[in-house]
Amino acid sequence: MYVFSSCCPHLNYYVLLWLSFQFCVFKELTLQYSPSFWSQRFQDPAAVIANHIQLITAASDAARKEVPVECGVKYGPKEGQILDLFGGKSLPHVKLSEIVEEIKEAAEYILNMAAKFGTRSLWFCGHSAGAQLVAMLLFSKWLDQLDDSVFRLLKGFVLISGVYDLTPLVSTYINNSLKLSSQEARSLSPLLLDITSPAVTKLRILVAVGDHDSPEFQRQSYEFAEKLRQHSQQVEYMTVAGVDHFDIVENLQQKDFILTKIIGVLMTG
């Protein structure tokens, strides 16, 4: 609660007007980075999340029954450093900067394992916050330090409905868990970092976003694709019609989904 006292009533008016404006900006920023509010499939944002969890859980269970998978393979000494092709582990007590480093370790482990088993090609894909984590691999000396025999297996990246500039999140409820300072948010924002690795030019990259994602998600996706295009001719950007932040990835289990088809063409081309 704010209480103002002034001999000048006009001053109080302008202070209150400024506070009202700041509140509106905060409210709009929070809305822009709350994907469940933008879905046109459900009236209740909570229903979007519940449906997403239900569908992803069911798809994961079905995949485990149909495809051989080894879950819980450790790729490092820390708690939670495990590889699970279809699942993940929530580690809210781990700083985002640590997770970024662990993603590099996991990526290298996967590449080395792929080389060991004679895999012909490998792609990395991330959705939402996962797209930011995968995109951070492009801004590391890690790529240039890979052995040529291992790097040649890596063909590209698929980034779906990602957040590539974290600085707006600092003043939203999302930062209650992330606990990022403005400086940390900037250092972990692919959209704000310089691309220095020549390896990026050898990779194919698809940046996709739903046309029912929020305007901010769409803006960041487009601007990130344009940034990548300044360094590589192998970057594609697409807005997927008729989908939101959640069913853009839910529908990947459908063979006739346009994004599924495009990813298939990329990986076999």
Side-chain angles (χ1 to χ4, degrees):
M1 179 178 179
Y2 295 92
V3 178
F4 294 95
S5 176
S6 172
C7 60
C8 178
H10 297 294
L11 179 59
N12 281 348
Y13 169 78
Y14 286 116
V15 169
L16 290 172
L17 186 64
W18 179 83
L19 285 173
S20 177
F21 172 75
Q22 291 297 315
F23 174 76
C24 290
V25 170
F26 172 77
K27 186 177 180 180
E28 176 62 23
L29 195 60
T30 298
L31 181 64
Q32 287 288 334
Y33 291 98
S34 300
S36 58
F37 283 83
W38 296 87
S39 174
Q40 298 186 14
R41 296 177 295 143
F42 300 88
Q43 292 184 341
D44 182 6
V48 181
I49 302 296
N51 181 73
H52 182 68
I53 293 173
Q54 181 180 359
L55 287 177
I56 294 300
T57 301
S60 297
D61 291 342
R64 288 191 179 97
K65 295 176 181 178
E66 297 177 7
V67 181
V69 57
E70 186 176 358
C71 300
V73 178
K74 290 187 67 65
Y75 65 86
K78 296 181 181 178
E79 177 188 358
Q81 285 188 314
I82 56 175
L83 289 177
D84 185 340
L85 188 56
F86 305 109
K89 183 174 181 180
S90 177
L91 292 173
H93 60 283
V94 178
K95 291 178 66 67
L96 182 57
S97 57
E98 294 180 41
I99 296 176
V100 168
E101 291 303 314
E102 291 181 1
I103 289 296
K104 295 176 188 175
E105 294 179 29
E108 186 170 0
Y109 182 94
I110 292 170
L111 278 166
N112 287 324
M113 185 170 60
K116 178 181 177 181
F117 291 125
T119 302
R120 291 179 297 175
S121 65
L122 191 145
W123 289 69
F124 288 121
C125 177
H127 167 251
S128 195
Q132 177 265 341
L133 291 173
V134 171
M136 285 297 292
L137 293 174
L138 297 168
F139 298 85
S140 169
K141 295 180 180 179
W142 168 81
L143 279 176
D144 300 320
Q145 295 170 348
L146 290 174
D147 185 87
D148 288 342
S149 62
V150 174
F151 176 76
R152 61 183 171 81
L153 298 177
L154 180 58
K155 303 303 181 183
F157 291 71
V158 177
L159 308 173
I160 304 173
S161 293
V163 178
Y164 308 106
D165 178 4
L166 304 186
T167 57
L169 304 183
V170 173
S171 58
T172 70
Y173 73 95
I174 299 171
N175 203 36
N176 293 342
S177 298
L178 296 177
K179 300 186 183 343
L180 293 173
S181 66
S182 296
Q183 183 177 357
E184 287 173 326
R186 184 174 182 81
S187 69
L188 297 171
S189 297
L191 189 57
L192 306 181
L193 300 177
D194 294 327
I195 297 176
T196 59
S197 172
V200 173
T201 62
K202 302 176 183 179
L203 300 170
R204 301 191 70 178
I205 303 172
L206 171 63
V207 181
V209 67
D211 73 344
H212 294 159
D213 261 307
S214 76
E216 270 299 286
F217 273 86
Q218 294 181 23
R219 177 190 67 81
Q220 287 205 19
S221 294
Y222 176 78
E223 290 184 4
F224 188 54
E226 288 299 299
K227 177 187 181 74
L228 294 172
R229 281 175 174 159
Q230 296 175 9
H231 300 270
S232 174
Q233 301 298 317
Q234 301 190 84
V235 178
E236 297 184 38
Y237 169 81
M238 71 175 296
T239 299
V240 185
V243 295
D244 56 42
H245 188 81
F246 300 94
D247 58 348
I248 191 174
V249 69
E250 293 168 0
N251 292 346
L252 287 176
Q253 60 184 315
Q254 301 173 9
K255 294 182 179 179
D256 60 347
F257 181 46
I258 182 62
L259 186 55
T260 306
K261 292 180 177 180
I262 290 176
I263 293 174
V265 170
L266 278 175
M267 292 185 176
T268 57

